[in-house]
Amino acid sequence: MVRPYTITAGRTAPEYADLTLITVLTTVLDPRGGAAAQPAALQPEHRLILQRCRHATALAEVSAALGLPVSVTKVLAGDLVAAGLLLARAPLTVAGAADLGVLAAVRDGLRRL
């Protein structure tokens, strides 16, 4: 078992600060269609994150799949974003904001049932 502070070299804050539990992470693709080349200096945990993020995955899911604390996953994912190997974005919304009038009408209709 490796202590979390050993994995992050004692760092407690990610280099890329906009990471939350619902941030969606995706591996950067090479223009030729494959995964971007990985530097040899990556830690095993970095490589596992890149493997896990071949398809868009939330940071919380990556953390759970790797069995790492979220804070450690944020630091490691931040390293990969800063290195240009990982893309981080907010989750997509579903068809824009809901109309509150429609939601109120549905609620009232359900209450009448």
Side-chain angles (χ1 to χ4, degrees), residues 47-55 57 61-62 65-66:
R47 293 181 192 284
L48 290 172
I49 291 172
L50 289 172
Q51 288 175 357
R52 181 72 182 173
C53 295
R54 286 184 181 151
H55 302 285
T57 309
E61 293 177 42
V62 174
L66 300 180

Side-chain angles (χ1 to χ4, degrees), residues 29-101:
L29 294 179
D30 186 288
R32 290 171 265 148
Q38 299 177 11
L42 290 180
Q43 293 176 292
E45 293 81 10
H46 285 124
R47 293 181 192 284
L48 290 172
I49 291 172
L50 289 172
Q51 288 175 357
R52 181 72 182 173
C53 295
R54 286 184 181 151
H55 302 285
T57 309
L59 182 107
E61 293 177 42
V62 174
S63 179
L66 300 180
L68 293 173
V70 173
S71 59
V72 171
T73 306
K74 280 184 180 183
V75 171
L76 296 174
D79 293 345
L80 294 169
V81 170
L85 297 172
L86 200 62
L87 295 175
R89 64 167 174 80
L92 300 175
T93 58
V94 180
D99 180 14
L100 292 179

